[in-house]
Amino acid sequence: MTDATEFQDIPTTTLADLLGRDQVMDIGIRSLWAPVPRIAGPAFTVSCPPGDNLMLHAAIHRAEPGSVIVVESGDLDWALAGGNVCAVARRRGVAAFVADGLIRDLAEVRELGFPVFARGVIPIPGAKKAVRPLNEPVRCGGVRIEAGDVVVADEEGVVAVPAARRAEILQGARAKLAKEAAESLDDWEKAHRARIDALLAERGFEG
């Protein structure tokens, strides 16, 4: 089995080219501070109803080191986590949060250097009442995520590699990067011009 950390050097742009739109989270899920390092790890999935953050707080004590905690919430009124939760997650070796929702204490999180990809910040925390199972399939940023899928996130966005395809996608990504590295800009420009001109000619463009 492929180790998820092997994706650390694979840009999300390369993965998106191979996986297509369905595995790329929407533009609302962004790094909350910059410059952010690329993170890659197996998904530890969490579902929180709007206004409640209990299961994310439970997850930080249960996720394995190296995990990316992925949260389904869709809540834009209450924070899922704050500075202390992020600090404990970091201390326990969690690689990052990827949350379809909000956090608070951004200055603390930024100072910690803990990567959080989410929809934004709000200063008021949610409640802690709703119990839901951990590591069930979730939707985050429009993408279905299962526990163990490889989540890769950087300044370009967040991509999920299905666990069943991780070895195939890693091999394809490495081959694509090697090919690109061997091609000069002059070669790329020549091939690009020929392709674009051919597309224009097919569509009757003259100019």
Side-chain angles (χ1 to χ4, degrees), residues 50-62:
D52 199 283
N53 60 31
L54 176 61
M55 295 318 297
L56 172 55
H57 288 237
I60 67 169
H61 301 290
R62 290 162 175 80

Side-chain angles (χ1 to χ4, degrees), residues 64-84:
E64 292 293 326
S67 299
V68 176
I69 294 181
V70 179
V71 188
E72 176 179 334
S73 171
D75 184 2
L76 298 180
D77 292 308
W78 308 89
L80 288 162
N84 284 344

Side-chain angles (χ1 to χ4, degrees), residues 9-176:
D9 296 327
I10 310 294
T12 54
T13 48
T14 302
L15 295 171
D17 287 346
L18 295 170
L19 287 162
R21 182 66 187 86
D22 289 348
Q23 296 304 121
V24 179
M25 293 189 189
D26 71 55
I27 64 168
I29 313 293
R30 310 297 297 180
S31 173
L32 296 187
W33 53 268
V36 66
R38 181 177 302 116
I39 61 96
F44 186 99
T45 57
V46 179
S47 175
C48 292
D52 199 283
N53 60 31
L54 176 61
M55 295 318 297
L56 172 55
H57 288 237
I60 67 169
H61 301 290
R62 290 162 175 80
E64 292 293 326
S67 299
V68 176
I69 294 181
V70 179
V71 188
E72 176 179 334
S73 171
D75 184 2
L76 298 180
D77 292 308
W78 308 89
L80 288 162
N84 284 344
V85 170
C86 292
V88 171
R90 184 176 184 273
R91 175 187 286 179
R92 297 203 68 257
V94 171
F97 287 167
V98 175
D100 202 327
L102 311 173
I103 69 156
R104 69 177 193 164
D105 302 328
L106 179 57
E108 293 179 33
V109 176
R110 183 172 54 235
E111 186 174 343
L112 279 171
F114 183 69
V116 177
F117 296 78
R119 293 201 181 274
V121 295
I122 197 167
I124 186 167
K128 294 173 181 59
K129 297 178 180 178
V131 172
R132 289 183 171 181
L134 293 169
N135 277 326
E136 295 290 311
V138 298
R139 288 194 73 82
C140 184
V143 178
R144 186 179 190 274
I145 310 287
E146 295 188 16
D149 288 351
V150 179
V151 178
V152 183
D154 58 23
E155 63 185 4
E156 302 282 349
V158 186
V159 178
V161 181
R165 299 186 65 193
R166 57 200 292 179
E168 166 212 340
I169 294 300
L170 181 62
Q171 183 179 10
R174 285 177 171 166
K176 190 174 190 299

Side-chain angles (χ1 to χ4, degrees), residues 183-198:
E183 184 179 48
S184 70
L185 181 58
D186 288 343
D187 292 337
W188 186 91
E189 181 181 9
K190 182 178 178 181
H192 179 262
R193 177 66 187 267
R195 183 167 64 91
I196 296 303
D197 286 351

